[in-house]
Amino acid sequence: MTTHHPNPRRLVYGHAQMHDCLAFADADAAPAEAEEIKALASAHTWGEARQVQTTYLWNPAGPEYYDPEDGFADDKPFSINEVRAVVEGDWPPMVTERAFELLPRDLQARFGGREFTALNGDILEIPLDHEAELVADLRQRGYKVTRDDDLINVLDGRSFSPLG
C-alpha cells in the first residue's frame, strides 16, 4: 500500500565514500548547500574565503574565526584543508549523521546501525546492500527519493578532503 502525502518529503541519497555506506540529505536544501561547500573550497585567498555567504552552513573561514590581523591577510593564499574545522572533521557536517533526522526511526533500526566516531559524533551506517529495500520502503511511505553519489560526497567534503 502506498501512502500519498500532499507535500512529500524529498530525499537524495548515495554512497558516502568516506564511511562506505549509504547517506541521506534533504533534496530541497542539498544542492544549495553543496554550492556553499564548493564556493568555500574554490576560494583562492583568505579574503575570498571570508566573503563566502552561507545560508545552510556556517563559514569556518569567516571573520569570526580567522582575522586578517592574526596572519590571515585578505591576499594570503587560501587552502580549505588548512581551516581548523575542516582538518578536525567538523566542517562540513558528516552527511552520514543526517539519517538520524531524516529517516523514520523504525527504518533506521531495521537498515542501519549507530556507529561511534572518535571525534565527530555518531553516524548511521547503512550498508550498501540495503539500498533497494530501504528506498522501496521510503517510497511506499510517500518519500520522493533520488540517488546522487556526487552530491552526497560533496556534502561530506569528499571533493576536497585529503582522503578524497
Side-chain angles (χ1 to χ4, degrees), residues 26-39 53-57 151 154-155:
D26 180 317
D28 295 323
E33 187 178 333
E35 288 306 313
E36 291 177 7
I37 292 168
K38 289 190 244 181
Q53 297 296 309
T54 58
T55 300
Y56 295 93
L57 300 171
L151 179 58
V154 168
L155 293 176

Side-chain angles (χ1 to χ4, degrees), residues 3 8 12 16 18 31 39 58 67-68 72 76 86 95 109 115 117 128 130 133 142 154 156-157:
T3 305
V12 60
M18 204 168 306
W58 53 283
D67 191 286
F72 301 95
K76 183 178 177 187
V86 172
V95 74
E115 294 294 324
T117 66
L128 300 173
H130 290 270
E133 191 176 356
V154 168
D156 211 23

